[in-house]
Amino acid sequence: MSQYFEVHPDNPQPRLLKQAAQILHGGGIAAVPTDSSYALVCHLDDKAAAENLRRIRGVDDKHHLTLLCRDLSELASYARVDNKQYRLLKIGTPGPFTFILEATKEVPRRVSHPSRRTIGLRVPDHRVTQDLLAVFGQPLLATTLIAPGQTDPMNEPQQIRDRFQKLIQAVVDAGACPMQPTTVIDLTGDEPVLVRVGRGDPAQLGLAMIAA
């Protein structure tokens, strides 16, 4: 049975976030709110937790998982970022964008793309997620919470608990989120490539995007 934490969306209770962080440090998986939709998250360095995350989500090792980071300085520890990429990241963070970048050695090879050595990274613009990351003390490995066989993300925490209570260890309820995933942009080539259109508006980045 997953633990259920009802937190205030604008002023989340530190005590509850600390309990959720302890579950994550112990190898658990949690459903957390973001500025796009709810996400499943786990400890980056826990191999079993990462495997469970993929299993629950119904994706293989070629599916890009995402690192949720507090800010750009933290993001730069896990991805190789040049000046051109950094300028783009500065415009799009925090916000509902996921950027695919070349992973550094700080990212375990088993969670990066098996052939490309890339990872998705983002800085969410959501108070609860930001405070949880601060309490947790490092980035969280994440994937959009889309139930197997479905195409739309889940955004109602009670429904998430009912559906996944035997599979995940915690649900952080901060109310409903938008029902859109992030916009995904691949920055590993010479020009940015739009991989998925989601909540983030590509025009905000000032780019003429090439669709993948």
Side-chain angles (χ1 to χ4, degrees):
M1 179 72 73
S2 57
Q3 292 195 47
Y4 198 75
F5 303 103
E6 289 188 64
V7 301
H8 193 282
D10 301 317
N11 190 25
Q13 302 90 317
R15 174 181 59 84
L16 298 181
L17 294 184
K18 185 176 181 180
Q19 291 177 36
Q22 288 172 340
I23 290 172
L24 291 165
H25 275 297
I29 293 173
V32 303
T34 77
D35 51 340
S36 57
S37 66
Y38 271 79
L40 292 174
V41 299
C42 72
H43 198 300
L44 170 62
D45 296 322
D46 192 311
K47 181 180 179 181
E51 290 174 349
N52 283 337
L53 192 76
R54 291 187 188 277
R55 192 178 303 115
I56 293 167
R57 178 70 166 74
V59 296
D60 61 21
D61 62 355
K62 295 180 180 61
H63 179 85
H64 267 109
L65 297 177
T66 299
L67 280 185
L68 298 182
C69 301
R70 288 188 69 194
D71 52 34
L72 276 184
S73 62
E74 190 172 68
L75 182 150
S77 298
Y78 294 88
R80 303 187 201 288
V81 180
D82 61 25
N83 289 336
K84 182 180 177 182
Q85 293 167 331
Y86 187 84
R87 286 193 293 270
L88 193 64
L89 292 169
K90 199 169 182 180
I91 298 171
T93 58
F97 295 94
T98 297
F99 298 97
I100 297 174
L101 293 157
E102 183 183 354
T104 66
K105 292 181 180 178
E106 295 296 318
V107 179
R109 184 167 289 277
R110 56 186 162 70
V111 301
S112 61
H113 192 281
S115 60
R116 298 179 58 202
R117 190 70 178 119
T118 52
I119 188 77
L121 294 107
R122 87 180 196 92
V123 180
D125 188 14
H126 194 288
R127 173 68 186 274
V128 173
T129 323
Q130 282 285 342
D131 283 11
L132 177 61
L133 288 168
V135 172
F136 189 68
Q138 64 186 85
L140 284 164
L141 192 64
T143 184
T144 304
L145 207 175
I146 300 175
Q150 301 297 312
T151 56
D152 293 326
M154 297 184 72
N155 81 326
E156 185 56 55
Q158 189 61 57
Q159 292 179 3
I160 292 169
R161 184 191 199 186
D162 293 344
R163 176 76 183 264
F164 294 100
Q165 62 181 341
K166 293 183 179 179
L167 298 174
I168 67 177
Q169 285 66 53
V171 176
V172 179
D173 175 2
C177 290
M179 285 187 65
Q180 282 184 290
T182 57
T183 291
V184 180
I185 299 167
D186 189 335
L187 296 181
T188 58
D190 293 333
E191 296 295 331
V193 175
L194 182 61
V195 177
R196 178 181 73 193
V197 178
R199 187 160 186 254
D201 183 0
Q204 179 186 333
L205 305 178
L207 293 170
M209 304 300 275
I210 303 169

